[in-house]
Amino acid sequence: KREDKELKIGFLGSRQAISESAPELLWGMETAKEDLNRKYQGQGYAVTVEFFDDRGEKGGAAEQAKEILGREDIDFVFVLSQDESLEKAAKRLARGGRTTFWLDEEGQAARGKKDQYQFYNTYSLAAQAEAAAAYLRGAGVRRIAAAYTPGGVSKQEYEALCAAAEQSGIEIRAVAELDRQTPDEAVKSLREADVQAVAVLAGNTNKNVDLIRAVRKLMPDVTVLSDHTVDQTSVLKSDAKTLEGTIIPCDIQTQWDGAELNALIERYQAVYKEDSQVGRVSHGYFSLAAAVDAAVACGTAEPKTLDKYFKSPSSARYLFDENGTLRHDEIPMLQARNGVFEIVGQGAGE
């Protein structure tokens, strides 16, 4: 157990780049620091943060990693973006005995590495589709229809759903491509298929809401499945009646529960008065909180102790696999209820 109860966290990356591209991420982490200090002050802990700015320059990440390793007071490091130089710096930090976390904004490219831990921003599309299919099957759904836009993310979502449905024993009986059809025309082409659910995967918030509205009007008895594009505060407020009952897989890996997330977003909007990047805000906040909670629970930020904690289902809120990648054996499924999305169950991820 540590005698010194100051937990000092190093942020490694380009301050200018992250401030311009993802200020919500930094807001989430700074807000988490403030909340954690209030949470643990009774136990004598103090959480502090120091930014190690590589300025986006060649050799900058290596220089900052060397400085961190020369400092005994830095307990663990968050790498705030991903490129080859930062990857090498992170590997050097891990080998030097510093617990290192990656924050990957896009949630697709990076994988966990030995002695490093990967917090994706979002679950993969395949994992979301598998979770949705598992949830639908558990609800007794065996026949579905789908509507999507050829090309881009929408097509990727549809292809992921096809693979997951086949694996789960769910039949996709009808498909509508949205490139040349109005929402009403698309839904009319689906309603003769005798399905229990419709997957609305237009890849765009407004298109998804319009399609869901058409399904509600023309197929009122089916379950509606959509994606995270409809999980926006302004959309939920303006289209609450349309979205009521819609089910989506949670795409944000670092969401703990709906009430906690909604409260955090309200705090962000109270400051910035705008629709938030929900994933970025929660990504920064909950990943930092998970690391600090683990260090307090263990009484140390020593890598081997934290590694055992993070891989123990009985202790850690977030679990990592042997490669340091955040596990998602179960993904929360959310349902729109009275203008907010609430967790209604779990779906098995990849």
Side-chain angles (χ1 to χ4, degrees):
K1 298 288 181 180
R2 62 185 295 149
E3 295 180 5
D4 170 18
K5 287 193 171 184
E6 180 183 21
L7 288 169
K8 192 153 194 175
I9 303 160
F11 291 172
L12 174 60
S14 168
R15 184 191 292 271
Q16 179 177 350
I18 202 71
S19 297
E20 292 175 353
S21 66
E24 305 93 339
L25 181 74
L26 291 179
W27 182 91
M29 299 186 86
E30 287 291 340
T31 303
K33 181 195 74 174
E34 295 169 6
D35 289 355
L36 291 162
N37 274 317
R38 284 191 289 269
K39 179 179 179 179
Y40 291 121
Q41 63 181 353
Q43 299 178 44
Y45 282 95
V47 180
T48 60
V49 167
E50 183 171 344
F51 208 115
F52 292 85
D53 189 358
D54 70 0
R55 304 174 299 283
E57 298 176 357
K58 184 177 181 180
E63 178 184 327
Q64 294 301 314
K66 182 178 180 181
E67 180 175 344
I68 291 170
L69 289 174
R71 296 266 300 275
E72 294 184 358
D73 60 330
I74 305 296
D75 292 290
F76 36 74
V77 182
F78 278 83
V79 181
L80 300 186
S81 59
Q82 186 173 346
D83 59 33
E84 186 177 351
S85 63
L86 283 168
E87 184 172 346
K88 289 180 179 178
K91 182 183 291 187
R92 182 177 180 183
L93 289 167
R95 287 177 176 173
R98 299 301 167 91
T99 299
T100 306
F101 299 90
W102 282 88
L103 295 187
D104 176 25
E105 183 175 330
E106 297 303 326
Q108 304 293 332
R111 301 296 295 176
K113 302 167 180 67
K114 183 176 176 57
D115 300 324
Q116 301 170 51
Y117 303 93
Q118 175 69 46
F119 278 109
Y120 288 127
N121 185 11
T122 57
Y123 293 114
S124 69
L125 295 180
Q128 292 180 58
E130 289 173 17
Y135 179 81
L136 290 174
R137 182 171 178 81
V141 174
R142 298 293 185 274
R143 306 179 309 279
I144 68 173
Y148 76 101
T149 303
V153 173
S154 177
K155 184 178 181 181
Q156 294 172 22
E157 288 181 327
Y158 170 68
E159 291 173 344
L161 179 64
C162 287
E166 182 178 3
Q167 184 178 355
S168 298
I170 294 175
E171 179 186 2
I172 300 180
R173 287 195 165 187
V175 178
E177 295 186 356
L178 305 172
D179 51 346
R180 294 187 177 90
Q181 299 183 82
T182 67
D184 280 10
E185 288 171 343
V187 174
K188 285 178 181 177
S189 72
L190 302 176
R191 64 180 176 178
E192 301 302 322
D194 185 27
V195 297
Q196 299 160 284
V198 175
V200 175
L201 306 171
N204 173 280
T205 300
N206 293 331
K207 287 182 179 179
N208 274 338
V209 172
D210 288 344
L211 268 168
I212 292 170
R213 186 176 292 113
V215 172
R216 296 290 184 215
K217 179 174 67 174
L218 299 171
M219 302 174 70
D221 297 326
V222 302
T223 297
V224 178
L225 172 73
S226 191
D227 61 27
H228 72 279
T229 61
V230 299
D231 183 11
Q232 296 183 25
T233 305
S234 62
V235 175
L236 284 165
K237 287 181 179 178
S238 62
D239 296 288
K241 186 175 179 180
T242 297
L243 293 175
E244 183 71 17
T246 298
I247 294 170
I248 66 172
C250 174
D251 76 313
I252 304 169
Q253 277 208 344
T254 43
Q255 177 174 321
W256 286 3
D257 64 60
E260 206 164 10
L261 178 64
N262 289 334
L264 178 65
I265 298 308
E266 287 178 4
R267 290 169 65 187
Y268 177 85
Q269 290 178 322
V271 177
Y272 291 99
K273 310 293 185 185
E274 62 185 35
D275 239 4
S276 62
Q277 286 280 351
V278 175
R280 290 176 180 171
V281 172
S282 65
H283 192 205
Y285 185 96
F286 292 126
S287 56
L288 185 67
V292 171
D293 285 345
V296 171
C298 294
T300 180
E302 191 272 324
K304 289 184 179 179
T305 304
L306 284 183
D307 186 68
K308 183 177 180 180
Y309 178 88
F310 277 131
K311 294 172 182 175
S312 172
S314 63
S315 56
R317 209 165 188 183
Y318 292 120
L319 294 176
F320 294 84
D321 64 21
E322 290 304 313
N323 295 317
T325 301
L326 193 64
R327 286 169 49 181
H328 42 273
D329 299 324
E330 291 187 332
I331 294 176
M333 297 298 296
L334 311 176
Q335 186 173 44
R337 294 177 175 173
N338 300 314
V340 298
F341 273 101
E342 299 177 355
I343 294 176
V344 292
Q346 304 285 335
E350 62 183 7

